[in-house]
Amino acid sequence: MKKIPVGILGATGIVGQRFIQMLESHPWFEVAWLAASDRSEGREYSDAARWRLKTPIPASVAKMRVSAAAPSGAPKVIFAALDASIAAELEPRFAEAGCAVISNSSALRMAKDVPLVIPEVNPDHVKLIECQSWRRKSKGFVVTNSNCSAMGLVLALAPLHKKFELETVMAVTMQAVSGAGYPGVASLDILGNVIPYIAKEEEKMEEETRKLLGTLNGAGVTLAPFKMSAQCNRVAVEDGHTESVSVKLKKKAQATDILAAWEEFSGIPQEQKFPTAPEVPVRYVSASDRPQPRFDVEFGGGMTTTVGRLRSCPVLDWKFTLLSHNTIRGAAGAALLNAELLKSQGYLE
Ligand code: NAP
C-alpha cells in the first residue's frame, strides 16, 4: 500500500518529537514535511530540534529542512502540535487550504462544529466534520484529541458511564513535567516539589470530559449531564499523568461489575486492528501499590490507561487511581489513532 504523506506542525516540540518517533515505521503514513517557528525554519531538523526521546531521530527525518508554518507546499494531512494561541491562528488556515488538520491543541476543541474524539469512546462525533465551513469550501477540516489528563480519565470513565451512568466525578491529578512541553517547568521550581496549579487545565478537564462523553445532536454535542470537578498538580515525574478519581453512579454497581466493565471495554481501533491501537485500552492491576509511572506508563506502547486501587468511597460510590502516558496516549498517539479512524472512514482520500 502506498503510504500517505503527512506533515507535522510544531515538529520540534515534545509532542512533535513523539509524532516523528511513532510515525517512523507506521504502515499507513510517512513524514513528508515538518514545520515549526521562525527560530527553526530553514534549518535541518536534527539541528533545530532539541531531541529529548530515548530512541534516535529517524534517519529519514534528521536531514529534512524545517519549513515555514504555512500551507503552501504542505501535504494534505497535517498533525498539529502547536501552542493554543498559535494553533488558533494557524489550524484554520491549513483547513481553509484543504488540509485535514489532526490537532493536539485546545484552541478549537470546544468549538461547536469541531469533533473532539477518542476512537474507542465517541467515533460517531467525527461526523461533525461535515458541518465545518472549511469542509464545504475546500474539503479541509479540523479534528481534535483531548487534553492529556482528560484522555486517561475518559478512557476509564467511558465504560462506567455506558453501563451505570455517571452522576458525579471528582479527579485530582499528579501530572508529569513533559506535559508542559520543552523546556517546560524550570528544574528549580519542580525538583522536590509539587506545584498545585496548571493554567486552564482544570477547566479543560471538566469541559472536555463532558464533551467526549456527550451525545451527538446533529450540528453539535450535548454535554454529558454529570457534575465534574478536577484539581490539577504538576509533580516531578518525567512521563505519565496519575489521577485519583472518585465517582458516583446513577445505577448501583458492585466492584466486580466495575472490573468487568473495564475488562470488556474496547472499540473500533481494537476491532479493526488499527496500527496504533493497544490490545486493551484499559487494564486493571490488582497490586495495592499500583499503577506507578515508573512501572506502568509504557504498557500497551503507552496507549493503555492503567487503573488500580478500586475501593468503595465513603463520600461518593467508588474511588480508584489511574495512569496514562501524556505524550503518547495523551497527545501524539491520540492524534495518530484519530488519523487511523479518519482513514478507515474515507476522510483522508
Ligand atoms: P513544545 O514542546 O513547547 O513545542 C511547541 C512547538 O510549537 C515547537 O515545535 C515550536 O517550534 C512550535 N512553535 C512555537 N511557536 C510557533 C509559531 N509561531 N509558529 C509555528 N510553530 C511554532 O510544546 P508541546 O508540549 O509539544 O505541546 C504542543 C501542543 O500539544 C500544545 O498545544 C499542548 O498543549 C498540546 N499537548 C501537549 C501534551 C504534552 O504532554 N506535552 C499533551 C497533550 C497536548 P520551535 O522549536 O521552532 O520554537
Side-chain angles (χ1 to χ4, degrees):
M1 187 175 90
K2 200 170 172 296
K3 292 192 187 182
I4 299 174
V6 300
I8 304 171
L9 262 177
T12 48
I14 285 282
V15 177
Q17 294 182 22
R18 274 288 175 208
F19 273 122
I20 287 168
Q21 183 190 53
M22 295 188 79
L23 284 162
E24 184 173 8
S25 47
H26 197 284
W28 301 354
F29 306 123
E30 69 185 341
V31 177
W33 182 87
L34 306 168
S37 76
D38 297 353
R39 181 192 74 77
S40 307
E41 188 188 328
R43 292 163 73 185
E44 275 190 8
Y45 183 77
S46 55
D47 174 42
R50 286 162 291 189
W51 186 259
R52 283 294 171 275
L53 300 181
K54 287 170 188 151
T55 54
I57 304 180
S60 56
V61 165
K63 295 217 169 298
M64 272 185 171
R65 292 265 163 212
V66 178
S67 299
S72 120
K76 287 288 179 218
V77 177
I78 297 290
F79 290 110
L82 298 166
D83 283 340
S85 58
I86 300 150
E89 188 197 322
L90 287 184
E91 290 180 356
R93 225 185 270 167
F94 279 77
E96 186 101 37
C99 296
V101 179
I102 303 159
S103 166
N104 264 286
S105 152
S106 60
L108 297 171
R109 279 180 201 147
M110 294 304 292
K112 189 171 175 240
D113 58 1
V114 173
L116 172 62
V117 177
I118 302 177
E120 288 96 336
V121 175
N122 61 338
D124 55 319
H125 291 200
V126 159
K127 291 192 205 99
L128 280 178
I129 287 173
E130 303 302 345
C131 304
Q132 296 179 5
S133 58
W134 307 302
R135 179 77 171 160
R136 290 193 293 274
K137 283 189 213 140
S138 66
K139 302 295 276 173
F141 59 85
V142 177
V143 167
T144 59
N145 53 260
S146 78
N147 167 276
C148 41
S149 24
M151 176 59 73
L153 180 68
V154 171
L155 281 167
L157 291 181
L160 308 188
H161 190 49
K162 200 169 160 199
K163 286 204 156 177
F164 317 114
E165 266 186 80
L166 294 165
E167 190 171 311
T168 307
V169 177
M170 311 261 309
V172 178
T173 70
M174 289 147 273
Q175 298 183 215
V177 284
S178 61
Y182 188 80
V185 192
S187 55
L188 272 182
D189 289 339
I190 194 70
L191 286 175
N193 203 14
V194 171
I195 300 172
Y197 175 68
I198 302 174
K200 298 195 189 135
E201 195 80 353
E202 294 172 353
E203 295 84 342
K204 287 183 202 166
M205 275 187 84
E206 289 166 5
E207 59 186 17
E208 290 178 22
T209 300
R210 296 178 58 223
K211 182 170 178 180
L212 284 157
L213 293 172
T215 318
L216 194 63
N217 66 19
V221 172
T222 306
L223 302 187
F226 54 82
K227 284 182 286 176
M228 155 111 202
S229 170
Q231 300 189 60
C232 296
N233 304 285
R234 184 78 66 200
V235 298
V237 165
E238 190 183 342
D239 289 315
H241 292 351
T242 304
E243 300 176 25
S244 295
V245 183
S246 300
V247 293
K248 185 168 178 59
L249 305 170
K250 282 210 175 129
K251 298 179 196 147
K252 291 302 152 208
Q254 302 301 310
T256 47
D257 302 324
I258 291 177
L259 294 174
W262 282 327
E263 197 181 333
E264 288 159 14
F265 180 60
S266 80
I268 292 178
Q270 286 71 35
E271 279 156 31
Q272 298 191 14
K273 298 197 182 325
F274 290 168
T276 307
E279 219 168 283
V280 288
V282 178
R283 70 151 180 165
Y284 186 80
V285 285
S286 54
S288 54
D289 62 352
R290 301 280 280 275
Q292 292 182 24
R294 183 173 295 164
F295 304 117
D296 298 306
V297 78
E298 301 286 348
F299 193 88
M303 291 294 287
T304 294
T305 290
T306 300
V307 185
R309 304 212 61 226
L310 177 68
R311 59 224 190 273
S312 63
C313 171
V315 179
L316 302 183
D317 291 329
W318 293 98
K319 52 185 173 179
F320 55 86
T321 306
L322 68 85
L323 170 72
S324 175
H325 198 303
N326 52 294
T327 66
I328 300 181
R329 182 51 123 158
L336 261 175
L337 210 55
N338 279 349
E340 291 165 7
L341 177 72
L342 291 165
K343 183 184 174 302
S344 76
Q345 298 194 349
Y347 282 102
L348 301 186
E349 253 103 85

